[in-house]
Amino acid sequence: MGCGSCSSGGCGSSSKLGTVPAGCNNNGSCMTSGCNKLDVYDWLSDMDLPSNYKPFNIVEVRFKGSRKDFYVNKDNIYLEMGEMVAVEPSTGGYDIGHVSLTGELVRLQLKKNNVNPDSVAKKIYRKANEADVAKFNAAKDLEWETMHRARKLALDLGLSMKISDVDYQGDKTKATFYYTADGRVDFRELIKRMAEAFRIRIEMRQIGMRQEASRLGGIGSCGRELCCSTWLTDFKTVSTSAARYQNLSLNTLKLAGQCGKLKCCLNYELDSYMDALKDIPNDVDRIETLSGVAYLQKTDIFKKTMWFSYPGAENWIPLTVAKVKELVAQNKGGVKPEALEYTPQQTETKKPIVFDYENVVGQDSLTRLDDRNKKKKKKKSKPKQSNNRQENNAPASNDNQGKAAPKDKQDPNAAIAEQNNAAKGGEQRKKRRFNNNRNRNKNDQKPNKGNE
């Protein structure tokens, strides 16, 4: 998930040596999420510092996952963001990490994390050399196989736990196993078997579901990388009330993230909804009128509109919050207003679409090919009709002879009038035939005077 020009998978994530980290060669500050996990933009990097300025000697170092720590640069080694360094771990040996931040911004990070600069005791040994990088790569190559073997050992012992990730120390002498479990797990026998199988020091660390998703990463339903794996550092509690305040459907499949818990983004807009809900009454679910009881169906929080409907009615009646408060006050006083009436809201005037380019060939129209096919069908010649029908149906004007108006352009009233005239003409012809037959019968029945 690194930037486009990263052939190694991300800025600073490669193990190649050099003063400038691998990838896009932007010293790990390209801010493309996958390049540096939980990265910090060094906005002081292009500024000229005073001549008598003494650099801050504490450096922030990033390790696998979202783990970061602070180290003292006692030897004043020149470091850039993304470089690999050998640092002092909490136990013996050394660890390999990437420099994530240097300079005065580290002082702000210490203040944000409530860390006293005098309490930082671990130090930076040196820049990583070729031997350190080779051992680091060998350790990282073992993590995948080690995790699967550890899972098999846990299944053989019948332990209800899930080992989600393994993090090897840079010198390949220690491995930290991260696992999730519903309760406490007795893994003493598991540690013995893993120590015999891997011949390293073992540390077990239990994490939550959110921390597991943060370490593994992924793509959320919004199409972006998970917030917990890119920039989110603290996990606040999320409750279903946050979804209720935002009028969201209480569907656990839609509200849950990849960690199985409620999505952290439900809290992002909660404050805006809470401010907007201050003016909307929350104890109004119906309004009594002379025509019946109207029940609340929907509330538009930001438009300050509430929809009511009568039982059995299909249309919803929108009312403003001020009108609803007025009607509720009347109901409390024992007064029932008249029936709620639908007042059409003023529609906003649509602004004409202005393109930044000239639409010459109509490439914005999805139906441009359909219109072209209709024109071709109209140009096709129609079959010739009989002479009698042509004479009867011939139009008055010679200019329009042989041309008929398309159906979609005919006036519907004119079409109805033609149908009525045709029906009347048929009735008149029937009457004429009936009268002619009647007169013939009368003539046949009269006696002939000459023959008498």
Side-chain angles (χ1 to χ4, degrees):
M1 301 300 294
C3 52
S5 59
C6 289
S7 59
S8 59
C11 306
S13 61
S14 177
S15 58
K16 296 180 181 179
L17 293 176
T19 57
V20 179
C24 60
N25 295 332
N26 198 16
N27 294 346
S29 59
C30 64
M31 297 294 293
T32 54
S33 296
C35 288
N36 278 337
K37 192 173 183 180
L38 297 177
D39 48 9
V40 181
Y41 181 68
D42 189 2
W43 51 273
L44 294 175
S45 59
D46 297 331
M47 297 180 65
D48 295 332
L49 299 176
S51 58
N52 57 351
Y53 171 74
K54 184 179 180 181
F56 192 56
N57 64 341
I58 298 179
V59 179
E60 186 185 62
V61 180
R62 174 178 55 87
F63 300 94
K64 181 182 178 181
S66 58
R67 183 166 66 96
K68 288 185 177 181
D69 208 343
F70 300 99
Y71 296 89
V72 180
N73 187 6
K74 290 185 177 181
D75 298 333
N76 293 325
I77 305 172
Y78 177 74
L79 299 173
E80 291 183 352
M81 292 178 62
E83 285 188 302
M84 298 182 68
V85 291
V87 297
E88 178 184 1
S90 56
T91 57
Y94 65 90
D95 201 357
I96 301 294
H98 295 83
V99 177
S100 59
L101 196 61
T102 59
E104 285 299 315
L105 291 183
V106 181
R107 198 190 304 272
L108 298 178
Q109 289 292 95
L110 290 170
K111 185 178 180 180
K112 177 185 176 182
N113 296 323
N114 296 324
V115 178
N116 188 4
D118 298 332
S119 63
V120 179
K122 292 182 287 187
K123 59 183 180 180
I124 296 177
Y125 289 142
R126 61 186 180 276
K127 288 185 178 181
N129 52 34
E130 293 183 359
D132 297 333
V133 172
K135 188 174 288 187
F136 175 77
N137 290 335
K140 294 304 173 185
D141 293 339
L142 292 174
E143 289 179 353
W144 185 258
E145 181 184 357
T146 303
M147 182 181 66
H148 285 278
R149 291 179 62 185
R151 286 180 178 179
K152 188 176 183 306
L153 292 174
L155 288 175
D156 295 340
L157 294 174
L159 299 177
S160 58
M161 59 185 297
K162 176 188 174 183
I163 299 176
S164 58
D165 195 13
V166 178
D167 187 6
Y168 264 88
Q169 194 169 286
D171 56 356
K172 206 168 63 172
T173 60
K174 177 188 173 183
T176 304
F177 292 82
Y178 296 91
Y179 72 96
T180 57
D182 295 334
R184 295 179 62 87
V185 180
D186 186 7
F187 45 75
R188 289 176 292 182
E189 183 65 26
L190 177 63
I191 292 178
K192 292 180 182 179
R193 295 194 180 186
M194 287 195 297
E196 294 175 359
F198 305 131
R199 299 293 181 182
I200 54 174
R201 286 178 291 144
I202 305 296
E203 180 182 353
M204 304 294 294
R205 186 171 296 178
Q206 185 175 2
I207 58 176
M209 298 295 182
R210 297 182 189 274
Q211 286 79 10
E212 180 185 14
S214 173
R215 294 191 64 85
L216 299 180
I219 304 297
S221 58
C222 58
R224 298 175 61 91
E225 290 185 69
L226 298 180
C227 297
C228 56
S229 63
T230 52
W231 62 270
L232 192 62
T233 55
D234 55 339
F235 300 99
K236 297 181 180 179
T237 57
V238 185
S239 61
T240 54
S241 61
R244 290 193 182 95
Y245 286 129
Q246 300 176 47
N247 283 344
L248 297 177
S249 176
L250 298 180
N251 187 352
T252 55
L253 295 177
K254 294 182 179 180
L255 297 179
Q258 293 190 3
C259 58
K261 305 292 183 180
L262 293 176
K263 293 180 181 178
C264 298
C265 55
L266 291 175
N267 285 338
Y268 295 168
E269 299 178 356
L270 182 59
D271 294 337
S272 300
Y273 278 89
M274 295 298 292
D275 293 338
L277 284 170
K278 290 180 180 178
D279 299 332
I280 299 177
N282 58 355
D283 56 347
V284 177
D285 56 350
R286 63 179 184 174
I287 296 177
E288 296 181 1
T289 63
L290 296 176
S291 301
V293 181
Y295 294 92
L296 178 65
Q297 300 294 340
K298 178 186 174 183
T299 302
D300 194 324
I301 298 174
F302 294 107
K303 290 185 178 180
K304 308 291 184 182
T305 305
M306 302 175 73
W307 276 269
F308 290 85
S309 69
Y310 291 101
E314 296 181 357
N315 297 329
W316 291 3
I317 303 171
L319 299 175
T320 60
V321 173
K323 184 66 174 177
V324 172
K325 291 181 179 180
E326 181 183 349
L327 296 176
V328 170
Q330 293 180 6
N331 286 159
K332 289 182 179 179
V335 179
K336 292 184 179 181
E338 296 182 359
L340 303 179
E341 296 181 358
Y342 174 77
T343 56
Q345 298 177 347
Q346 295 180 355
T347 57
E348 298 180 357
T349 58
K350 294 184 178 180
K351 297 181 180 179
I353 300 175
V354 179
F355 297 100
D356 295 336
Y357 58 93
E358 191 172 352
N359 187 13
V360 180
V361 296
Q363 63 267 30
D364 291 331
S365 176
L366 297 176
T367 60
R368 61 185 185 276
L369 299 178
D370 299 340
D371 297 339
R372 195 177 298 173
N373 293 333
K374 287 182 180 178
K375 292 179 181 178
K376 289 182 180 179
K377 289 182 181 179
K378 291 177 184 177
K379 291 181 180 179
K380 289 183 179 179
S381 61
K382 293 184 178 180
K384 294 183 178 180
Q385 298 178 350
S386 62
N387 295 330
N388 296 331
R389 298 180 75 181
Q390 286 180 358
E391 292 176 359
N392 295 331
N393 298 330
S397 111
N398 294 329
D399 296 338
N400 297 330
Q401 188 172 5
K403 296 182 181 179
K407 293 182 179 179
D408 55 349
K409 294 185 179 179
Q410 287 182 353
D411 188 3
N413 296 328
I416 295 171
E418 289 180 2
Q419 293 178 0
N420 293 335
N421 293 333
K424 289 180 181 179
E427 292 178 358
Q428 290 178 359
R429 284 194 295 270
K430 288 182 181 179
K431 287 182 180 179
R432 290 173 185 172
R433 290 175 185 173
F434 179 76
N435 293 330
N436 293 334
N437 294 332
R438 188 177 180 182
N439 293 331
R440 289 174 185 172
N441 294 331
K442 286 182 180 180
N443 294 329
D444 294 340
Q445 291 177 2
K446 287 182 180 180
N448 193 351
K449 294 181 179 180
N451 294 331
E452 291 177 357

